[in-house]
């Protein structure tokens, strides 16, 4: 179990979310994610601190919310930064709060000596409760909605493990592939689905909707 936001978001079975981009004014302007099994709203991201939306995030921040509007994660770009770098905070970020995770577009040589699109690192817990280190990479192209989030091996002899996957949404009835504004997020058993959605927000900020940009590593 990779509990980051909460155990309630770590399903023992694979969880499939249909994610819909709800606004197209700029990258990250809004998302709604629906549970494939129930059709119910699971997450939404539509409060960005522009003087509206309830104040769940300050200017320049993105808030991942639960279905009832409760803040689960706050993501913001770190400035100044040599490379594009983001930080994620648990809930609605407070002054002085330690980040939960960091994400960055690495330099030319990334993990394994290959060009990297995004690297996400779960940071040590600020509380006394220990947290296992977790390093994730993004393999594929988020703008084309075809990529995987892979956990790096934690010990010698272990293999890298796919913890989430983003794919184009297919309308089975019509047998057509839907547009880029609707896609599927598959979350592996035991991995935190709220954390996976937080990674989606960061990827959208890094890549936007420019389908000419690939995020390839390893």
């Amino acid at each position: 179990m990779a509990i980051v936001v909460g155990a309630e978001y770590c399903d023992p079975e694979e969880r499939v979310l249909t994610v819909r981009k709800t606004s197209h004014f700029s990258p990250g302007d809004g998302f709604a994610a629906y549970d494939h099994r129930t059709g119910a709203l699971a997450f939404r991201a539509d409060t960005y601190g522009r003087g509206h939306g309830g104040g769940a995030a300050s200017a320049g921040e993105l808030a991942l919310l639960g279905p009832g509007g409760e803040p689960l994660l706050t993501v913001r770009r770190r400035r100044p930064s040599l490379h594009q770098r983001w930080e994620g905070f648990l809930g609605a970020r407070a002054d002085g709060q330690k980040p939960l995770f960091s994400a960055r577009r690495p330099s030319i040589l990334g993990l394994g000596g290959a060009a990297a699109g995004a690297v996400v690192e779960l940071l040590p817990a600020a509380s006394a409760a220990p947290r296992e280190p977790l390093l994730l990479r993004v393999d594929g192209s988020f703008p084309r909605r075809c990529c995987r989030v892979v956990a790096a091996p934690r010990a010698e002899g272990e293999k890298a493990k796919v913890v989430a996957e983003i794919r184009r949404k297919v309308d089975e009835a019509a047998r057509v592939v839907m547009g880029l504004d609707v896609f599927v997020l598959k979350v592996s058993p035991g991995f935190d689905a709220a954390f996976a959605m937080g990674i989606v927000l960061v990827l959208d900020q890094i890549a936007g909707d420019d389908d000419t940009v690939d995020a390839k590593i390893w």
Side-chain angles (χ1 to χ4, degrees), residues 1 7 9 16 21 23 30-31 41 63 69 74 95 113 134 144 152 159 162 179-180 203-204 207:
M1 299 283 283
Y9 305 110
V16 180
K21 195 170 179 63
S23 180
F31 285 103
L41 179 68
T74 302
D95 291 340
L134 184 62
R144 294 174 180 168
K159 294 182 178 180
V162 177
L180 295 174
L203 290 175
D204 189 65

Side-chain angles (χ1 to χ4, degrees), residues 1-45:
M1 299 283 283
I3 301 173
V4 179
V5 180
E8 62 270 34
Y9 305 110
C10 300
D11 200 304
E13 300 179 354
E14 180 184 68
R15 189 172 185 186
V16 180
L17 299 171
T18 296
V19 184
R20 180 172 62 89
K21 195 170 179 63
T22 58
S23 180
H24 301 271
F25 293 113
S26 65
D29 249 353
F31 285 103
Y34 300 88
D35 190 278
H36 180 73
R37 287 176 293 193
T38 65
L41 179 68
F43 307 104
R44 60 186 177 92

Side-chain angles (χ1 to χ4, degrees), residues 37-203:
R37 287 176 293 193
T38 65
L41 179 68
F43 307 104
R44 60 186 177 92
D46 58 3
T47 303
Y48 295 91
R50 296 178 182 171
H52 56 78
S58 300
E61 297 182 344
L62 301 84
L64 178 69
L65 310 174
E70 64 278 16
L72 304 178
L73 286 173
T74 302
V75 175
R76 70 171 182 179
R77 185 168 182 173
R78 182 177 177 181
R79 299 178 186 276
S81 177
L82 179 61
H83 306 294
Q84 295 188 43
R85 184 181 295 271
W86 281 260
E87 293 176 325
F89 300 82
L90 190 63
R93 186 187 69 84
D95 291 340
Q97 182 180 351
K98 298 285 187 180
L100 181 68
F101 68 90
S102 68
R104 61 188 171 90
R105 171 177 282 174
S107 56
I108 296 175
L109 290 182
L111 296 175
V119 173
V120 181
E121 183 179 5
L122 185 62
L123 301 175
S127 63
R131 180 192 297 139
E132 291 187 37
L134 184 62
L135 185 65
L136 305 168
R137 72 180 196 255
V138 177
D139 181 3
S141 172
F142 176 76
R144 294 174 180 168
R145 308 303 190 242
C146 183
C147 61
R148 302 182 303 170
V149 180
V150 183
R154 295 182 178 180
E156 186 177 352
E158 288 186 0
K159 294 182 178 180
K161 181 181 179 181
V162 177
V163 296
E165 187 173 4
I166 294 168
R167 287 284 181 260
R168 298 282 297 271
K169 176 74 173 179
V170 177
D171 186 330
E172 299 292 348
R175 296 183 179 180
V176 297
V177 179
M178 302 184 71
L180 295 174
D181 58 336
V182 180
F183 57 93
V184 172
L185 172 64
K186 293 183 178 181
V187 183
S188 297
F191 193 74
D192 194 310
F195 183 34
M197 273 299 302
I199 294 173
V200 168
L201 296 186
V202 171
L203 290 175

